[in-house]
Amino acid sequence: MKTIQYISAEKAASVVKSNDHIHLSSVASVPHSFIEALCKRADNKEFKNVHIHHFHTEGPAPYSEAKYDGILFDQGFFVGHNVRANVVAGYADYIPVHLSESSILYRNGSLACDVAVVQVSEPNSDGMVSLGTSVDCSVAAIEVAKTAIAVVNKNVPFAYGDLVHIDQFDYFMQADNELTSSTYSQPSEIDTLIGRHCAELVPDGACLQMGIGTLPNAVAAQLHNHKDIGVHTEMFADGILDLIKAGVVTGKNKKLDNGKIVASFLLGSKDVYNFIHLNKDVLMKDIAYTNNPWNIAQNPNTIAINSAVEVDITGQICADSIGTRFHSGTGGQLDFVKGATMSKGGKSITAFASRTLKGNNKIVSTLNVGAGVVTPRADAHWVVTEYGAVNLTGRSLQERAKLMISIAHPDDREMLDREAFKRFGPHYHNFEV
């Protein structure tokens, strides 16, 4: 086992050369000290045409800025809020990929990885480090990178799951920045109604996948009377932690990783990060494992709860763009939609408010021009708004239109009904659902 000798951030950044592809650990565990040193070199124009890849990152993202045009080019697997404007302007870009396949891009050589820079925990006595709150596709990046750099940070929790030995790294640097934490606003009345409708579709003993944000936390808040819930998800936050503390989560009915809480990355309060530290009930795994639909399907009664930007009356689900303007990414939505619907007793749920905060309807007759279909209509199952829940499984186009309109905002229903009549012809109104 090698002896760790630490180098400075400036020395670590010096390994980057023109045309390299760099992988960064993501979400709450971004190696900001390395990024700062890299951008100083970019300011001096010491290289050109360097590509940067990552899941969404929290905190500053200077590598995506216009001033580095031709020097640094950000190409993430997800469009976070910190790069969104630069992606829209064309100074940064997005690689559409199901998160389950992001590791595959590295492993099969579809995407180069010259330098992998990942934050890790302090090593244990066996020389193993944990990737803590953000395993994502970093394990794959470390495996294939020509140069792997570990940013050892005492604030990275030692989470079990996919660990990495220090011998897999070429260089080590130290950082002591706090991981990015996030808190979410209290659920609104609409969020609470949506959460209640979703909770009614979750049986005792179910295995949950939910995202991060106010709405997932609102769903979790409605599950406190449930029993023996399991967790197999790509990410979780404080809403799930509250269920764990309340004894609602036991995972006793899981067939895969029985009794374990499985995820790939986290974004929440420090309580969430502290919870996973040295906790053998939690497995932080490669995204290729957590998001593999076949793995997801092994657990009975898997309930996948995701959101949408807009959904048309036939069930096409847009979740990554507002028209032609990219807002987020494909993420793991379809991974879990497929996995949940293959699970015995499983359900895929798409939950969202019927209108945006600006009052625009999110159930539409047709998607906006340029909008991306993340979940095809053939894969759309349960759809939930504050006005109820409908199941599109096995329903025809005209039946779907009736169902979708029934959970649209009341002030939008007449307009949507007229549009459906135009689209489907005079026989449309003969259908009752």
Side-chain angles (χ1 to χ4, degrees):
M1 184 168 64
K2 67 175 65 173
T3 301
I4 294 179
Q5 294 183 327
Y6 292 103
I7 62 174
S8 66
E10 290 72 23
K11 179 67 174 176
S14 72
V15 307
V16 176
K17 59 186 185 300
S18 293
N19 303 312
D20 273 354
H21 289 251
I22 303 174
H23 169 81
L24 301 176
S25 56
S26 309
V27 196
S29 194
V30 180
H32 287 293
S33 54
F34 174 86
I35 291 169
E36 290 170 6
L38 182 70
C39 287
K40 286 180 182 178
R41 289 192 64 207
D43 289 334
N44 295 328
K45 298 182 171 57
E46 295 179 22
F47 51 72
K48 62 182 179 180
N49 196 37
V50 168
H51 301 253
I52 297 177
H53 310 296
H54 51 79
F55 280 24
H56 98 265
T57 56
E58 291 291 319
Y63 46 81
S64 71
E65 293 175 4
K67 68 178 180 178
Y68 295 126
D69 189 26
I71 302 171
L72 295 172
F73 191 34
D74 184 46
Q75 297 172 303
F77 303 132
F78 196 88
V79 182
H81 60 89
N82 57 352
V83 301
R84 194 169 292 143
N86 291 328
V87 169
V88 171
Y91 293 109
D93 207 354
Y94 161 58
I95 298 175
V97 62
H98 300 298
L99 291 190
S100 63
E101 298 177 357
S102 57
S103 293
I104 297 171
L105 291 181
Y106 284 141
R107 289 185 171 121
N108 70 12
S110 296
L111 185 64
C113 185
D114 298 291
V115 183
V117 187
V118 298
Q119 281 206 138
V120 301
S121 70
E122 295 176 322
N124 67 10
S125 59
D126 296 320
M128 305 300 291
V129 295
S130 170
L131 302 182
T133 63
S134 190
V135 179
D136 53 74
C137 60
S138 290
V139 173
I142 294 165
E143 289 171 0
V144 305
K146 297 175 183 176
T147 303
I149 300 173
V151 181
V152 180
N153 187 332
K154 64 182 181 181
N155 295 305
V156 172
F158 194 100
Y160 294 105
D162 287 333
L163 305 178
V164 180
H165 197 275
I166 60 173
D167 286 349
Q168 290 186 251
F169 293 98
D170 300 289
Y171 299 102
F172 299 85
M173 55 173 282
Q174 283 184 302
D176 59 4
N177 58 287
E178 294 280 349
L179 303 189
T180 304
S181 59
S182 183
T183 56
Y184 300 95
S185 59
Q186 288 297 310
S188 66
E189 182 180 349
I190 289 175
D191 294 329
T192 300
L193 286 170
I194 295 169
R196 192 172 299 152
H197 293 316
C198 289
E200 290 171 354
L201 298 174
V202 179
D204 287 340
C207 184
L208 287 183
Q209 175 260 329
M210 292 194 296
I212 293 174
T214 301
L215 184 53
N217 285 343
V219 175
Q222 299 299 315
L223 294 172
H224 279 263
N225 291 324
H226 281 60
K227 298 176 181 178
D228 296 323
I229 295 298
V231 177
H232 181 111
T233 185
E234 65 186 13
M235 54 185 173
F236 72 87
D238 292 77
I240 291 292
L241 181 58
D242 289 344
L243 292 178
I244 295 167
K245 290 179 176 179
V248 174
V249 173
T250 67
K252 65 183 291 185
N253 294 321
K254 292 180 67 177
K255 301 298 183 186
L256 183 67
D257 302 315
N258 180 262
K260 303 292 186 183
I261 297 159
V262 177
S264 190
F265 57 93
L266 310 175
L267 179 62
S269 69
K270 290 182 181 179
D271 288 344
V272 175
Y273 307 156
N274 292 336
F275 172 75
I276 70 170
H277 181 59
L278 296 175
N279 187 341
K280 292 188 176 180
D281 291 331
V282 178
L283 298 177
M284 297 297 294
K285 302 282 287 181
D286 188 324
I287 200 78
Y289 179 88
T290 60
N291 284 42
N292 184 328
W294 296 106
N295 289 341
I296 296 164
Q298 299 308 306
N299 291 315
N301 295 307
T302 289
I303 309 296
I305 303 175
N306 289 286
S307 194
V309 173
E310 59 178 355
V311 182
D312 79 5
I313 56 176
T314 72
Q316 291 193 110
I317 298 169
C318 171
D320 64 351
S321 65
I322 301 172
T324 59
R325 180 163 58 90
F326 279 94
H327 183 77
S328 54
T330 300
Q333 182 171 123
L334 195 58
D335 297 332
F336 278 91
V337 166
K338 286 290 191 182
T341 53
M342 290 190 295
S343 161
K344 183 177 180 180
K347 299 184 184 82
S348 167
I349 300 170
T350 304
F352 55 94
S354 63
R355 282 183 165 180
T356 68
L357 294 177
K358 294 181 178 180
N360 298 320
N361 54 305
K362 296 180 73 171
I363 293 178
V364 295
S365 56
T366 58
L367 299 180
N368 279 311
V369 175
V373 177
V374 171
T375 297
R377 58 171 69 93
D379 291 305
H381 288 189
W382 284 91
V383 182
V384 175
T385 72
E386 69 270 34
Y387 294 104
V390 295
N391 186 1
L392 304 186
T393 308
R395 296 290 193 154
S396 71
L397 297 177
Q398 296 184 39
E399 290 172 326
R400 285 166 176 246
K402 287 278 191 180
L403 289 168
M404 291 296 296
I405 292 169
S406 75
I407 59 169
H409 192 283
D411 292 345
D412 298 327
R413 292 176 190 174
E414 184 177 346
M415 173 272 294
L416 290 169
D417 205 50
R418 287 197 304 269
E419 293 294 323
F421 184 82
K422 291 177 185 177
R423 185 169 184 177
F424 299 118
H427 298 290
Y428 165 69
H429 283 296
N430 293 337
F431 281 91
E432 295 295 332
V433 293

